[in-house]
Amino acid sequence: QVQLVQSGTEVKKPGSSVKVSCKASGGSFRNYAITWVRQAPGQGLEWMGRVIPSLEETNYAQRFQGRVTITADKSTVTSYMELLSLRSEDTAVYYCAREKGYYDYWGQGTLVTVSS
Amino acid sequence: DIQMTQSPSTLSASVGDRVTITCRASQTISNWLAWYQQKPGKAPKVLIYRASSLESGVPSRFSGSGSGTEFTLTISSLQPDDFATYYCQQYHDYSTFGQGTKVEI
């Protein structure tokens, strides 16, 4: 059974950066992409981008281009999402998910709060 | 970018009701569409993929249909556990979610 376990809650100052991890157990990254999706309080789901570990390829939503970096470490089966220049609007729960086009396994979510 | 528009935004229903949620894509996405259920404080859970394929373990009261730009999710007989928010997602061109439909009593 695949499990995606994310790192814990973060509280950050505006202008700083955050790096969230997502470790897979019970499976590997082979043949799958890892996607990152965020959800602001009371809002819907927003796709941020993805990494395809086997191809070492990344794709990002246009609105996050230049501010987000998604990586994958195949040796530890862990994906990372780093978001720079944080602002209050980045306060959200950040999810990783295994992608088969659609998302069949999800992490538990990581709350990132941006506040001065 | 492909835009996904769900309707309605909120749906009031009772146990046993047949419920239908619609999702429209701003351009054709063939059948590259999934539906998710999300409960408060939890990650989304996939119900339907490729527009009409039921994910393993999902009750058969959930069904999906459509292709091109128009899609529907139907719950044939609403159960207490089904009160949640539902999202569509296109994966024809990267990924976009609809804005969600909250199913409430």
Side-chain angles (χ1 to χ4, degrees), chain A residues 37 39 43-47 50 59 62 95 101-104 106-107, chain B residues 1 34 36 38 42-44 46 49 55 87 89 91 94-95 97 99:
Chain A
V37 171
Q39 186 169 39
Q43 302 301 308
L45 302 168
E46 181 174 32
W47 182 74
R50 68 177 183 188
N59 306 107
Q62 192 155 6
Y95 293 102
Y102 63 97
Y103 311 125
D104 59 348
W106 292 70
Chain B
D1 288 7
Y36 300 84
Q38 187 181 32
K42 300 293 187 183
V46 65
Y49 62 94
E55 176 74 348
Y87 294 92
Q89 176 232 348
Y91 51 103
Y94 298 125
S95 179
F97 290 93
Q99 80 276 19

Side-chain angles (χ1 to χ4, degrees), chain B residues 32-69:
Chain B
W32 302 114
L33 184 105
W35 290 96
Y36 300 84
Q37 177 193 69
Q38 187 181 32
K39 296 182 178 178
K42 300 293 187 183
K45 170 189 169 185
V46 65
L47 303 173
I48 302 286
Y49 62 94
R50 282 200 81 170
S52 60
S53 295
L54 192 69
E55 176 74 348
S56 176
V58 173
S60 59
R61 63 181 179 272
F62 292 93
S63 64
S65 64
S67 67
T69 61

Side-chain angles (χ1 to χ4, degrees), chain B:
Chain B
D1 288 7
I2 298 175
Q3 308 302 317
M4 305 300 292
T5 304
Q6 279 182 244
S7 60
S9 298
T10 307
L11 190 158
S12 296
S14 301
V15 173
D17 283 354
R18 181 181 182 87
V19 165
T20 299
I21 299 168
T22 297
C23 183
R24 287 190 177 86
S26 60
Q27 62 191 76
T28 183
I29 59 170
S30 183
N31 61 351
W32 302 114
L33 184 105
W35 290 96
Y36 300 84
Q37 177 193 69
Q38 187 181 32
K39 296 182 178 178
K42 300 293 187 183
K45 170 189 169 185
V46 65
L47 303 173
I48 302 286
Y49 62 94
R50 282 200 81 170
S52 60
S53 295
L54 192 69
E55 176 74 348
S56 176
V58 173
S60 59
R61 63 181 179 272
F62 292 93
S63 64
S65 64
S67 67
T69 61
E70 297 255 345
F71 302 88
T72 58
L73 172 70
T74 299
I75 309 172
S76 60
S77 177
L78 199 65
Q79 298 302 301
D81 191 48
D82 301 338
F83 290 96
T85 300
Y86 294 82
Y87 294 92
C88 62
Q89 176 232 348
Q90 69 80 17
Y91 51 103
H92 171 73
D93 179 23
Y94 298 125
S95 179
T96 317
F97 290 93
Q99 80 276 19
T101 295
K102 184 176 183 181
V103 176
E104 58 184 24
I105 299 173

Side-chain angles (χ1 to χ4, degrees), chain A residues 30-113:
Chain A
R30 190 177 302 170
N31 299 326
Y32 299 109
I34 296 292
T35 270
W36 288 83
V37 171
R38 78 176 186 180
Q39 186 169 39
Q43 302 301 308
L45 302 168
E46 181 174 32
W47 182 74
M48 300 181 68
R50 68 177 183 188
V51 60
I52 307 173
S54 60
L55 300 177
E56 298 185 354
E57 178 180 313
T58 53
N59 306 107
Y60 300 117
Q62 192 155 6
R63 64 170 292 183
F64 296 106
Q65 285 275 4
R67 209 162 66 93
V68 69
T69 302
I70 296 171
T71 57
D73 184 333
K74 287 182 281 188
S75 66
T76 61
V77 208
T78 302
S79 176
Y80 299 90
M81 186 284 299
E82 183 173 30
L83 189 61
L84 309 176
S85 303
L86 290 169
R87 34 213 189 225
S88 58
E89 309 89 87
D90 294 318
T91 294
V93 175
Y94 290 76
Y95 293 102
C96 63
R98 190 178 80 165
E99 179 186 323
K100 299 165 68 172
Y102 63 97
Y103 311 125
D104 59 348
Y105 291 98
W106 292 70
Q108 82 277 19
T110 296
L111 175 62
V112 176
T113 301

